[in-house]
Amino acid sequence: KAVITVLCFAVCFYLFLLSFTGTFRLISDIGSNRALFLNPVIGLLIAMVSVTALGVYLLKTRKLESYLTRFDDEKTFNRAMSILKIAVFIECLLLSAMVFGMNQRVDQHSVQYSAYGLSWNVTEVLTPPRHLGVYPNNSGFVFAIYLLSFITGHYNTAVIMLILSFLVPPIYSDLAVIGGKIGMSHKSQLLIMVCGLLFIPLQTKVTFIYGDVPGLFFAVRAMKHATEIVVKKSTLKNAVLVIVFMAFAYVMKNNYLIFSIAVVIYLAAELLRQRRYKELFIPAAVIAATLILNFVIKLSLGAVLDGTVSSGASKFSWIAMGMQEKAGTFNGYNDATY
């Protein structure tokens, strides 16, 4: 057990190192000036490992072990979950405040420009080389920003960051709930929230005006309701929410089709195993709703601007870009070839 623990800790430390350094590099690209609040990264990681090691030591003490039994009480557990969610939210707000005032660049700016163009009937936003002309997979998030603009106006980065900050804590709490459904204790569920508090890269995503955070929020929430169905709480409400949330996730960012496939396979396998054949319409409806809503969004965009949404750059161009010398980095190959 000791050997496995050390190996797992080393792997997790390495993953955190990659996450933090990657986050630092991404934040550095937001504005013309480098954001230095996550630097030096190595020092921050060493501090985190030290605190974690201290925490592991404390967990072995009997006094703390007896204290942790308090979380077996539902009321105490819920209060602790609420405090941790508030802590994650505050973390998101602080990160937003640290980069606020730096101009959104590249894709993040293009998304807001596209929403602005919808309001002013700039038909060029749907055609290459404009963002939606090349990357129509961002149509759903652009349309959401366009609808929000009726309330907040355009380029209101502060409000968008605030909304995204509200969406991050439920992502972690939903993961904790899913853990509870598959047998995790209250202490383990709280540990998910604590790990979430330490995982700065996701919180940093609130500074990007993009579909990543809302897409992940809807995807994880759909998975939570999928587990509700599997544990024989297959109410009409849960079925509807799985279908709707998964469709919203895909619309916010097309990458979340991966989550849709996962939910479909999970539900289909479990419903077949439990011989609940009448409910197999749910996984089928998830895929159908996902594709239909995406089609409706593109149709709506075309109707607003009296045009047609482009099919965009080929997905194969992304693969080709990833196989070049600097694999894994964006170099504009898909844009240029299109």
Side-chain angles (χ1 to χ4, degrees), residues 168-197:
V168 171
I171 292 173
Y172 292 123
S173 61
D174 284 354
L175 287 171
V177 170
I178 292 170
K181 296 296 178 186
I182 61 176
M184 291 179 74
S185 66
H186 281 173
K187 292 188 282 289
S188 296
Q189 288 175 262
L190 287 172
L191 191 59
I192 291 176
M193 292 299 299
V194 171
C195 288
L197 190 63

Side-chain angles (χ1 to χ4, degrees), residues 5 11 16 29 47 61 73 80 92 104 118 146 174 176 212 215 224 238 257 274 306 315 319 329:
T5 301
V11 169
F16 268 113
D29 289 338
T61 62
D73 176 62
C92 292
Q104 292 280 318
L118 284 174
Y146 164 69
D174 284 354
D212 302 54
K224 184 184 81 168
N238 279 326
L257 179 63
Q274 298 176 27
D306 193 24
K315 300 295 187 293
I319 299 170
T329 60

Side-chain angles (χ1 to χ4, degrees), residues 34 45-46 52-53 75 96 109 134 136 152 171 218 220 229 241 265 269 272:
R34 291 179 67 84
L45 280 163
I46 291 171
T52 306
K75 189 175 181 181
S96 299
H109 180 268
V134 183
T152 65
I171 292 173
F218 286 123
V220 174
I229 292 171
L241 289 175
I265 293 172
L272 284 169

Side-chain angles (χ1 to χ4, degrees), residues 17-187:
L17 175 66
L18 292 181
S19 297
F20 273 95
T21 51
T23 301
F24 173 68
R25 287 168 62 186
L26 286 169
I27 291 174
S28 302
D29 289 338
I30 294 177
S32 55
N33 299 315
R34 291 179 67 84
L36 299 177
F37 62 89
L38 283 181
N39 200 22
V41 175
I42 301 298
L44 182 64
L45 280 163
I46 291 171
M48 187 185 73
V49 169
S50 302
V51 170
T52 306
L54 178 64
V56 171
Y57 172 76
L58 291 173
L59 283 171
K60 303 298 286 185
T61 62
R62 289 186 177 182
K63 188 178 288 186
L64 185 64
E65 190 176 337
S66 62
Y67 175 80
L68 289 174
T69 57
R70 296 175 57 188
F71 295 113
D72 293 333
D73 176 62
E74 196 70 31
K75 189 175 181 181
T76 307
F77 168 73
N78 290 332
R79 190 184 301 121
M81 286 289 287
S82 298
I83 291 170
L84 287 169
K85 282 196 282 187
I86 291 169
V88 172
F89 175 68
I90 291 171
E91 200 172 49
C92 292
L93 288 184
L94 287 173
L95 288 166
S96 299
M98 287 173 179
V99 300
F100 189 73
M102 290 185 174
N103 295 323
Q104 292 280 318
R105 293 173 64 194
V106 199
D107 289 350
Q108 295 83 34
H109 180 268
S110 298
V111 162
Q112 294 197 70
Y113 173 78
S114 299
Y116 177 80
L118 284 174
S119 293
W120 293 97
N121 294 319
V122 181
T123 54
E124 288 80 7
V125 300
L126 293 179
T127 57
R130 295 297 185 185
H131 186 74
L132 286 185
V134 183
Y135 308 111
N137 55 307
N138 289 322
S139 300
F141 187 66
V142 167
F143 197 66
I145 298 296
Y146 164 69
L147 294 176
L148 183 66
S149 70
F150 286 99
I151 303 170
T152 65
H154 286 287
Y155 296 103
N156 199 332
T157 303
V159 171
I160 299 172
M161 284 184 180
L162 180 62
I163 293 170
L164 296 181
S165 297
F166 274 112
L167 297 181
V168 171
I171 292 173
Y172 292 123
S173 61
D174 284 354
L175 287 171
V177 170
I178 292 170
K181 296 296 178 186
I182 61 176
M184 291 179 74
S185 66
H186 281 173
K187 292 188 282 289

Side-chain angles (χ1 to χ4, degrees), residues 205-228:
K205 277 286 186 179
V206 302
T207 64
F208 292 85
I209 309 305
Y210 223 51
D212 302 54
V213 171
L216 186 59
F217 166 78
F218 286 123
V220 174
R221 184 133 293 193
M223 293 177 77
K224 184 184 81 168
H225 288 287
T227 57
E228 293 275 2

